[in-house]
Each structure stands twice: as C-alpha cells, then as structure tokens.
Amino acid sequence: MEPWSRTQMAGRVAADIPEGWYVNLGIGIPTLVADHVPPEREVVLHSENGILGMGPAPEKGKEDWWLINAGKQPVTLHRGGSYFHHADSFAMIRGGHIDLCVLGAFEVASNGDIANWATSENDSAPAVGGAMDLAAGAKRVWVMMEHTTKDGRPKLVEKCSYPLTAMKAVSRVYTNLAVLDVTESGFVVRDLAPGVTMEHLRSVTAAPLQEGKLAA
C-alpha cells in the first residue's frame, strides 16, 4: 500500500480543477495546490485575506513578507494578479463569485456536512472564522485531508461529532488513500491510492462506501 503524499494529493487536486475557475485555497494542506497549477493553465487562485491571481510559493530567500496567504505563508503573484481589502475579498466569497473552495477538515459526513474549525480539545480555534463564509458562499467545496487522525480514527463519518462549519456543503474529498464524491446516497469512491483496497478503505472509514467508476 502506497498512500499519496500531501504533495501528490495537491497535484491531483490541481489537475482536476477545470480551466477558467476562480479557486480559493483554505489554510493548511490546501495551500499546497498553488504549487501544482501549471503556469499555462488559466486557474485563478484566491486567498481570503485579499489576493486574486495568487501564484506558487516563492524560492527560498526571495520571500516578500508583505505578500502572504491566509495562513501567513509567503506567496507570489501572477502577472495581472492583485491584492485588496479584506472586505472586498469577502464580498467575492459571499457574492458567489468563487467557483471552488478547497478546505481542510477534521471530519466530513456522508451527506456533505463539514467540521473544520473546532474539536473537543482545549486548543480549539476561538471562532469559526472565514471557513463558514467559504463553505456557504463558494459554488463548490472540495476537502483535502488525511483519511484518519494521527491515532487512526476515521475522518469520514456518517455524522460529524465536532461542531459544524457548514451543512451539506462538500461535493468531493481527497485523502491520502482515495478520492471520493459526496452524493445523495453517500460516499462514492472514484480513485484509490496504489495498493489500497476497498476492504482496507472500509476499515478506516466510519460511513458506508460505494464503488464508483474508478479512474484509469
């Protein structure tokens, strides 16, 4: 079994984004997607702190710390890109102008509910923040996350046990083990990492799985 690395997951997400989409990348591993969008493709990346036309991470030593993403990581700006006020950025989100948002998550339920801002631990974030706006305002939400927690607990569940960020928002999930669509009948497996079997995937998933047409 060869689970996908986070770099491989980011490459897969980037490859699946259709031409011409405006895409927000959430804090955490979704930010890696910016490094894998080929420069010749027209995918316009948005960051909630006020960037449109965001590029990949800069070379080491060439960081401009005035130009950062929502996770406070240095980024670059493609030609024609811009940066602007936080309120204008959220007007884009709340106005339905973002085609896709890629978020991390603690849990995703089989009906598309997402929990990504707080757990039952004491180090929970103080508030739901921009993730709620993104999950509700973007036309589509994809989740990019590890399939289980560090101690092996499933993150794909029938019903979220953590506080919800948004209800029925997620349409696709990318993990280190599989790519799954969220449908009216639950999770449908679209692709498996090398060597991963449906039997193993079911053993680390706390919700029913259906076999879909797997990628070639």
Side-chain angles (χ1 to χ4, degrees):
M1 189 171 69
E2 300 176 28
W4 289 311
S5 66
R6 290 185 173 185
T7 297
Q8 290 172 318
M9 291 163 62
R12 177 59 192 273
V13 172
D16 286 351
I17 298 172
E19 195 83 6
W21 276 16
Y22 288 80
V23 181
N24 177 279
L25 301 179
I27 294 172
I29 60 175
T31 59
L32 296 174
V33 174
D35 298 337
H36 297 275
V37 177
E40 66 274 11
R41 292 193 59 212
E42 187 182 8
V43 173
V44 183
L45 299 180
H46 171 271
S47 184
E48 70 176 77
N49 57 314
I51 304 175
L52 196 63
M54 183 172 62
E59 296 178 26
K60 193 169 184 178
K62 295 186 177 181
E63 299 91 345
D64 177 357
W65 289 100
W66 288 102
L67 186 59
I68 58 174
N69 62 22
K72 300 181 181 179
Q73 299 165 311
V75 295
T76 55
L77 197 67
H78 283 305
R79 185 175 182 180
S82 60
Y83 42 93
F84 35 82
H85 195 279
H86 203 72
D88 295 321
S89 180
F90 272 80
M92 295 177 190
I93 297 167
R94 294 172 181 174
H97 303 291
I98 303 300
D99 294 298
L100 168 69
C101 178
V102 185
L103 293 172
F106 296 132
E107 290 178 331
V108 176
S110 56
N111 68 344
D113 290 353
I114 177 173
N116 82 337
W117 71 278
T119 68
S120 55
E121 305 298 329
N122 292 329
D123 60 353
S124 296
V128 66
M132 178 179 63
D133 290 271
L134 288 162
K139 295 176 183 176
R140 303 163 192 84
V141 176
W142 294 353
V143 165
M144 181 180 168
M145 65 180 186
E146 302 290 332
H147 203 89
T148 63
T149 63
K150 291 180 180 179
D151 58 1
R153 288 182 289 116
K155 297 175 76 172
L156 293 176
V157 297
E158 284 197 77
K159 184 177 180 180
C160 292
S161 61
Y162 295 145
L164 293 185
T165 304
M167 299 173 66
K168 299 182 180 181
V170 179
S171 59
R172 182 174 293 174
V173 181
Y174 293 80
T175 78
N176 56 323
L177 300 181
V179 178
L180 310 96
D181 282 338
V182 180
T183 72
E184 290 183 359
S185 55
F187 291 119
V188 176
V189 180
R190 298 302 185 192
D191 200 5
L192 294 168
V196 176
T197 63
M198 284 296 299
E199 181 182 13
H200 176 73
L201 197 67
R202 286 191 171 101
S203 73
V204 291
T205 304
L209 297 177
Q210 301 173 57
E211 291 189 62
K213 184 178 179 182
L214 297 181

